[in-house]
Coordinates of all heavy atoms in Angstrom, one line a residue:
V17 N -8.8 -7.8 -6.7 CA -9.3 -6.5 -6.9 C -10.5 -6.3 -6.0 O -11.4 -7.1 -6.0 CB -9.7 -6.3 -8.4 CG1 -10.3 -4.9 -8.6 CG2 -8.6 -6.5 -9.3
Y28 N -10.3 -9.1 2.9 CA -9.9 -9.5 1.6 C -8.4 -9.2 1.4 O -7.6 -10.0 0.8 CB -10.7 -8.9 0.5 CG -12.1 -9.4 0.5 CD1 -13.2 -8.5 0.1 CD2 -12.5 -10.7 0.8 CE1 -14.5 -8.9 0.1 CE2 -13.8 -11.1 0.7 CZ -14.8 -10.2 0.4 OH -16.1 -10.6 0.3
S127 N 7.1 -7.1 -7.4 CA 7.4 -5.7 -7.2 C 6.5 -4.8 -8.0 O 5.9 -5.2 -9.0 CB 8.9 -5.5 -7.5 OG 9.1 -5.7 -8.8
N159 N -4.1 16.2 -14.2 CA -4.2 17.4 -13.3 C -5.2 17.3 -12.2 O -5.2 18.1 -11.3 CB -4.5 18.6 -14.2 CG -3.3 19.0 -15.1 OD1 -2.1 18.7 -14.8 ND2 -3.6 19.6 -16.2
L161 N -5.2 15.1 -10.0 CA -4.6 14.6 -8.8 C -4.6 15.6 -7.7 O -4.8 15.2 -6.5 CB -3.1 14.3 -9.1 CG -2.8 13.0 -9.8 CD1 -1.4 12.9 -10.2 CD2 -3.2 11.8 -9.0
L166 N -10.4 13.7 -1.1 CA -9.6 13.2 0.0 C -10.3 12.1 0.8 O -9.6 11.3 1.4 CB -9.1 14.4 0.9 CG -7.9 14.1 1.8 CD1 -6.7 13.7 0.9 CD2 -7.5 15.4 2.5
I199 N -9.2 3.0 13.6 CA -9.5 4.1 12.7 C -11.0 4.3 12.6 O -11.7 3.4 12.4 CB -9.0 3.9 11.3 CG1 -7.4 3.5 11.3 CG2 -9.2 5.0 10.4 CD1 -6.9 3.1 10.0

Side-chain angles (χ1 to χ4, degrees):
V17 179
Y28 292 145
S127 61
N159 289 334
L161 280 173
L166 203 55
I199 303 172

